[in-house]
Every structure is written in structure tokens, then in C-alpha cells.
Amino acid sequence: MYHNTLSKKFFQRAKDLIPGGVNSPVRACQSVGCDPIFIEKGDQCYLYDPDGNSYIDYVCSWGPMILGHCHPHVVSAVSEALGQGTSFGAPTWREVTLAQKIVEHVPSIEKIRLVNSGTEATMSAIRLARGFTGRKKILKFDGCYHGHADSFLVKAGSGVATLGIPGSPGVPEEIVANTISIPFNDRDAFTEAIDKEGRELAAVIMEPVPANMGVILPDEGYLEFVREKTKQEDILLIFDEVITGFRLGLGGAQEFFGVTPDLTCLGKIIGGGLPVGAYGGRKDIMDQIAPAGPVYQAGTLSGNPLATAAGIATLEVLERPGTYESLGEKMDYLANGLSEIASKHGISCINQRVGSMMTTFFGRKAPVRNFQDAMQADTEMYGRFFRKMLKEGVWLAPSQFEAAFISLAHDWETLEFTLGAAESAFIHLANS
Ligand SMILES: *Cc1c(COP(=O)(O)O)cnc(C)c1O
């Protein structure tokens, strides 16, 4: 019989010491109606908890673990770096190697600056855009998440959407007054916003494939449309590829869709599970950053030796031929399988996927094209699905508004097992 006594005990202690017992809100599992599972260790596509349960991991640390846990190439690269010292506050060759790889692969990036998280990357990118253009406002899309900096906490995705809060206390009105948020995939809303605010907009920032309100695909031609419009008004286009970078291919969503932004934010995968973010783009813009230019941004641990070692090793494995084809095939198999089983048992849901990321939106048959659609999903049903899958040994994102990821370590047998578990879960849902 499944039990998680020790996880519950740890969580009780954690709640006395850490707000909500967690260091990032969605981990608390509130919206799916259970307590968090504490993780003791990971190995390949499996997670292990202190109560002796194991789970197939479809969260992959919210994206970074595209090779699975403890990939031998990453373990040996990080171990080697560890033996040489963990931080110097001076340049190292690994930073240059990681920068070189990113510049080679990501079409928009001619120069790159490494930071410590996706949040740092996006907040630095908009400071740069403001410094470069001399304009103040930014435009974002409802349900997109760009980290937790003040400017982005307006109709944001991820935990903000999961908890159902519009913004956050502590963010001054004066700051969010400079952030405009409009629906994704809506050309009229975009044109209207540009007509009204275009001259004051420093940047349009977007997840080219939104994945923090669940996975949503850009309509055919939508990214091209946004690119064209921003160019006409000299507004910088920033792709937040913290999730899609090195997930949809080595060149990210921009290569996948053939649309090149001015600046790109990266994170997650490029750190191979260690804390890394980055922002990069056109040389003339990037050279505005200190000490090359006047826009200030710095970091004690930026370009950290362990983090860059993990990042380089991760990219080296991803560069091997056939990687993304294999990830894509497996995700197709999983998504198609889920759709088939769901319709067999009369469960109404839609699987939206691209590459190796996917969201199953419950209670929806029509495509989910924006935040408003996503909010119609049946979160209570998702919660029941989540809890049943957990007991079957499958670890899904503890929120309807997040993506499921697979890694290179997910093999066919694991996927087969997952489909079996999903079938039991759907039968359970159909009969309750
Ligand atoms: C995760 C994420 C961020 C924030 O990155 P952190 O490392 O959590 O600060 C920013 N943008 C997108 C699209 C993300 O998915």
C-alpha cells in the first residue's frame, strides 16, 4: 500500500521553518490537493522518496533535466570542476566554452552574458532594452511567466496562475504601470496595443511557445506577425526561451519556427540542473552592457565553474545526432497514447504538445490558444488525475498550468508503464 509518512513528517517540520514549507510556491502541491513528496535522489528518469517509493519523473526539475538525472557525462564534468575549486570571481575557460556553444546554436545570439537564474536573465534583458531604446514600457502576454521580477508580475503564469492571484503585493503600482499585458495569439489586441503604446515600448517579451499556463502553440504566422510589427516600430523583441531553449532543438523555438528576436533569455537546460541563466542577442545591443557599455548588471557567482561545467556537458550530449528526433518520437507516442486512452474511457481532455513538452488540459476538447482558454480547464479533474498517477508511481507537474517534459532517459518501457498508469487513472476518473 502506498504511503508517504516520512515526506509528510518532513513537510510538517519544513512548514515551521520555511514559508509554506517550500522554496518555490508550486512545489507545495496545493492546487492538486496533496502534500509535497520530498525527493531523496534521482537516477535517469526516476525520482526516489524517503518512504521507498519511486516515480517516473515528468517534471524534470521544471525543464532542466533533459538528459535525466545523474547523466554520467554531467556527473564527471561537475566532479572534475569541483576538484578545481567552486568559485573564483574571475573569468574561467568554461564560461567562454559555454558562450561559444550558445552563440553557435542560437540564431539571434551574437553575444551572451551569463547570470544565475531565468529571473535574472529576463530582468536584465528588459533593463538592457530600456537602456538601448531610451523607452520605458514593456509589453507581455497574459499567462506568460518571465520569472518573479516586479515588472513581470502582471497576469503572470506558472505559480501565479496556479494560485489564482492577479499580481503580487509588494510590487509598486508605478512599476507595473509600465507593463502592458495582452492575450496571446490575438492579432487585433497586439495591433491595438502597438498603435496606442508603440512609441513608448522598449520591448515586447514573450515565451515563443508559452509553457507556463500549460503548453500553448503560437498560431500559424503569429510569431512572424509579432516580429514584423515590432521591427516597424523599433521595439526590441525578446524571446524568453528559458524553457524552449535547447528543448525544441539546439536553436530553440526561434530556430524551430524560423523567427529571430533581437534578444533571447535562456536558463534551465543550459545549466544542466545547476543555477544558470543567460541573456544574449545582437552585438550592438549587448555591447551596451557594462563594462562594454553603460547598462549595469553584475553577479558574484555568474559563470560559476560547476554550473558552466554542467551546462557544457549537457549541451555536448544534446549535440549528438538524433537527440531531438528521439525525444520528439517518444513524446508523440505518449501524447497519442494518452489521447486514445482518454477517448476510450470518455475522459474529455486535449493534449497539446511540441517537441518533448506537453500539457493535458482536462475538460477541454478545442485547442487552448490563450490564458483565458487555459483558465477554463478542469483543475479539479487534473488534481484527481495527478493524485492517482502519483500513487501509480508517476510524478507529474503539480499544477494544470505547467508542462510535462521527457528526457533522453525516458525509454519506451517507461512510457508504456506510464500509459498503463494513465489508463487506470482514467478508469478511476470515469467511475468517480
Ligand atoms: C522558469 C522560467 C523563468 C524563470 O527562471 P528561474 O530560473 O526560475 O528564475 C523565466 N521564464 C520562463 C519562460 C520560465 O519558464
Side-chain angles (χ1 to χ4, degrees), residues 17-32:
L17 299 166
I18 301 170
V22 290
N23 282 311
S24 195
V26 189
R27 292 181 197 169
C29 297
Q30 265 172 18
S31 80
V32 289

Side-chain angles (χ1 to χ4, degrees), residues 47 56-65 247 395-398 403-405:
L47 294 176
I56 303 172
D57 181 14
Y58 288 98
V59 179
C60 295
S61 187
W62 306 91
M65 309 315 295
R247 169 65 59 184
W395 177 242
L396 300 171
F405 298 105

Side-chain angles (χ1 to χ4, degrees), residues 136-149:
K136 238 182 1 196
K137 294 190 175 176
I138 59 163
L139 186 143
K140 69 175 281 292
F141 296 87
D142 303 349
C144 280
Y145 181 69
H146 304 295
H148 67 84

Side-chain angles (χ1 to χ4, degrees), residues 24 61-62 64 116-122 144-149 152 158 205-212 239-244 265-268 275-277 402 405:
S24 195
S61 187
W62 306 91
N116 302 296
S117 68
T119 294
E120 262 191 77
T122 52
C144 280
Y145 181 69
H146 304 295
H148 67 84
F152 301 118
S158 190
I205 184 165
M206 70 197 304
E207 298 180 68
V209 179
N212 284 290
F239 275 4
D240 179 351
E241 297 225 43
V242 171
I243 284 187
T244 52
C265 300
L266 296 170
K268 298 192 170 125
V276 182
E402 302 282 354
F405 298 105

Side-chain angles (χ1 to χ4, degrees), residues 54-77:
S54 65
Y55 308 92
I56 303 172
D57 181 14
Y58 288 98
V59 179
C60 295
S61 187
W62 306 91
M65 309 315 295
I66 193 169
L67 308 185
H69 301 280
C70 297
H71 190 286
H73 191 55
V74 177
V75 171
S76 83

Side-chain angles (χ1 to χ4, degrees), residues 324-344:
Y324 290 97
E325 289 79 355
S326 158
L327 285 167
E329 268 173 37
K330 285 177 184 163
M331 191 48 109
D332 272 352
Y333 176 76
L334 187 65
N336 292 334
L338 280 174
S339 298
E340 263 172 44
I341 301 168
S343 70
K344 181 169 144 198

